[in-house]
Amino acid sequence: MQDLNEIVNRLDKEFKIKEFGKDSAFSRFIPNVYDPIKFDWKAIFEKEFVELFNGLMLRGASNIEKVFLAVFPTDYVLEKFIEESNEGDLLFMHHPLLMECGDPYGSWGKGFVPINEKYIDQIKQKKLSIYTCHVPMDCHKQLSTNIAIAKELNAKVIDKDPINDQSNDFVLYCNIENSDTQSLITMLKEIFNIPYVDFEGQELQDIQKVAIVAGCGDVVDWMEEAERNGVQAYITGEIHCHIDNEYGKQKFNRIMDYASKTSMSLIGVSHSASEYLVHQTLMKNWFEKNFDIKTFLIPQEKWWL
């Protein structure tokens, strides 16, 4: 068994939780989701989490036997965690909220969805813990969501010019062994265990440089920047925003306009699958290397939600 505080302190230090300050995304999304339903999240979640929106979110018993790893707190993921855990066990996730991103071949999603209060009650009753790490993981130099994808592709990361580079930390440029669009799609389907990808743009016969953006990469500015930098394939979780509201439809239309003109292959592997890979590989290894502890993966019930 391991002490909860020891693991939390090690995670906080590894991901520089305090140095990052408030999470730029969830400092907005958590109040936006919970305040309208009058859920007192400030009282339920840990004090530091309420300030930073990363780190230990729910505190359970002090001794941990198992760490569970997942991306989104779907009902399925939480039920598996509650059912298969013992008192004190920890769930480590990338997101503190479920994001229904939609299915390119199915229904559009609702966007951010709150955790059902009954699951929070059951987690607290069983004295379980939840720790989430969003932007600090996305930007980590060795344990990022992007780095995990690059490793599975056997890609060589292109080092940034520390003086002249103006690109952001959410886009990773890499060189890969010469490929083509269809071969790359086949490889990505196998890596992420998905039935299909979301695709726009051009089918190419010569792909050597890629941009990797785990999660929501449906940002035209990032795509344009990648194209200017000679990228042939833009690999991300979400090519399109399939969220069924005005915001989602506007983003979808803007991408469609860009996709009609781009020279790149735009390939989406699902938001959740693109971020699950780091849990399946790098984070699983990190926990097992640093602690005498068992790890259990909880893949999402359906990658396109």
Side-chain angles (χ1 to χ4, degrees):
M1 288 202 176
Q2 293 287 329
D3 180 70
L4 173 64
N5 287 334
E6 183 182 354
I7 292 180
V8 167
N9 291 338
R10 191 70 172 271
L11 284 167
D12 287 352
K13 183 178 179 181
E14 180 68 58
F15 289 102
K16 300 179 180 178
I17 298 297
K18 292 181 181 178
E19 288 91 325
F20 266 92
K22 283 188 178 182
D23 191 276
S24 56
F26 286 105
S27 60
R28 294 179 290 119
F29 297 137
I30 284 180
N32 288 348
V33 165
Y34 284 118
D35 287 349
I37 62 173
K38 302 190 185 311
F39 176 74
D40 193 3
W41 57 276
K42 292 181 180 179
I44 298 296
F45 299 152
E46 288 295 296
K47 180 180 178 182
E48 193 165 278
F49 182 88
V50 167
E51 296 170 357
L52 301 176
F53 301 90
N54 281 303
L56 188 65
M57 178 177 167
L58 291 171
R59 177 180 292 274
S62 58
N63 291 322
I64 298 176
E65 181 182 350
K66 295 179 286 188
V67 172
F68 294 78
L69 300 108
V71 176
F72 290 155
T74 68
D75 289 355
Y76 172 83
V77 165
L78 295 175
E79 287 168 3
K80 292 287 284 186
F81 173 53
I82 292 165
E83 178 185 348
E84 298 181 9
S85 60
N86 297 320
E87 180 181 298
D89 287 343
L90 172 70
L91 174 60
F92 178 87
M93 293 186 293
H94 190 48
H95 283 241
L97 291 170
L98 166 61
M99 184 181 182
E100 289 190 8
C101 306
D103 185 337
Y105 293 97
S107 301
W108 283 41
K110 300 175 184 176
F112 284 104
V113 178
I115 295 175
N116 190 310
E117 194 170 350
K118 73 176 183 180
Y119 295 123
I120 293 176
D121 289 341
Q122 290 171 19
I123 287 166
K124 293 179 76 66
Q125 288 167 10
K126 200 169 179 178
K127 297 182 180 179
L128 304 172
S129 296
I130 292 181
Y131 188 109
T132 71
C133 186
H134 185 235
V135 170
M137 174 180 276
D138 285 331
C139 297
H140 198 279
K141 299 303 181 185
Q142 290 83 38
L143 298 171
S144 78
T145 49
N146 288 343
I147 290 291
I149 296 172
K151 286 181 178 294
E152 289 300 306
L153 288 172
N154 293 316
K156 183 178 180 182
V157 176
I158 299 171
D159 292 331
K160 296 180 179 181
D161 183 331
I163 297 175
N164 299 317
D165 188 86
Q166 301 296 315
S167 59
N168 65 63
D169 289 332
F170 299 110
V171 183
L172 187 68
Y173 293 114
C174 300
N175 290 321
I176 62 170
E177 185 176 340
N178 187 272
S179 186
D180 59 82
T181 299
Q182 286 305 317
S183 297
L184 187 55
I185 287 174
T186 298
M187 183 186 300
L188 291 169
K189 285 163 62 178
E190 292 175 356
I191 289 172
F192 293 102
N193 192 28
I194 51 176
Y196 44 79
V197 300
D198 194 9
F199 180 79
E200 294 291 351
Q202 304 298 316
E203 290 207 21
L204 304 175
Q205 297 302 313
D206 183 16
I207 297 176
Q208 299 180 51
K209 187 173 182 179
V210 301
I212 299 172
V213 188
C216 285
D218 57 333
V219 182
V220 170
D221 289 348
W222 297 359
M223 293 177 177
E224 290 174 338
E225 176 191 280
E227 196 164 1
R228 287 195 299 270
N229 279 288
V231 165
Q232 291 107 22
Y234 185 93
I235 301 165
T236 183
E238 303 292 333
I239 289 298
H240 288 301
C241 181
H242 289 101
I243 296 174
D244 193 15
N245 57 25
E246 193 58 36
Y247 166 83
K249 291 170 184 174
Q250 287 178 359
K251 288 201 77 177
F252 181 89
N253 291 334
R254 190 171 182 212
I255 290 291
M256 286 301 290
D257 180 63
Y258 171 77
S260 69
K261 298 175 284 192
T262 185
S263 64
M264 298 188 296
S265 293
L266 309 177
I267 308 170
V269 299
S270 102
H271 190 132
S272 49
S274 73
E275 295 175 338
Y276 178 71
L277 187 64
V278 71
H279 296 266
Q280 187 179 15
T281 58
L282 304 183
M283 285 310 303
K284 185 177 190 298
N285 292 338
W286 184 88
F287 277 108
E288 292 175 352
K289 178 182 177 181
N290 287 286
F291 302 100
D292 181 19
I293 205 163
K294 298 175 183 177
T295 57
F296 293 85
L297 296 163
I298 311 181
Q300 203 160 284
E301 65 272 30
K302 183 175 181 286
W303 291 121
W304 293 104
L305 280 179

